[in-house]
Amino acid sequence: KVLGVTFASNPKDMEENYENKVTEIKKLLNRWSFRNLTVYGRVQLVKSLALSKITHIVQVIQLTVHCWR
């Protein structure tokens, strides 16, 4: 595991990184759902916290079409 990404010899095993990040992001956004945020606040939250986590994984590993479904 390097910088939060687990590397494997099989590309199918690399998809687990994506699934873990999606779960982590859902938990993160769920924690913020109890606060009274405006629409602009929610957009800022997604842009600053959620997208940064996804873009890191997408830049490091190559995802198959199966991951996007």
Side-chain angles (χ1 to χ4, degrees), residues 24-47:
E24 182 181 327
I25 289 170
K26 284 181 181 179
K27 288 179 183 177
L28 175 77
L29 294 178
N30 192 27
R31 281 182 279 179
W32 280 88
S33 68
F34 298 110
R35 300 181 190 259
N36 292 330
L37 295 176
T38 64
V39 173
Y40 298 113
R42 292 178 188 167
V43 169
Q44 185 64 33
L45 178 70
V46 169
K47 286 172 63 175

Side-chain angles (χ1 to χ4, degrees), residues 12-68:
K12 291 287 185 187
D13 295 338
M14 299 284 284
E15 292 176 6
E16 186 178 319
N17 290 307
Y18 176 74
E19 294 165 2
N20 290 343
K21 281 297 176 187
V22 169
T23 305
E24 182 181 327
I25 289 170
K26 284 181 181 179
K27 288 179 183 177
L28 175 77
L29 294 178
N30 192 27
R31 281 182 279 179
W32 280 88
S33 68
F34 298 110
R35 300 181 190 259
N36 292 330
L37 295 176
T38 64
V39 173
Y40 298 113
R42 292 178 188 167
V43 169
Q44 185 64 33
L45 178 70
V46 169
K47 286 172 63 175
S48 63
L49 297 177
L51 288 179
S52 63
K53 292 180 182 291
I54 283 292
T55 54
H56 173 70
I57 291 294
V58 172
Q59 288 177 349
V60 173
I61 63 173
Q62 185 177 24
L63 298 175
T64 61
V65 176
H66 179 306
C67 285
W68 294 107

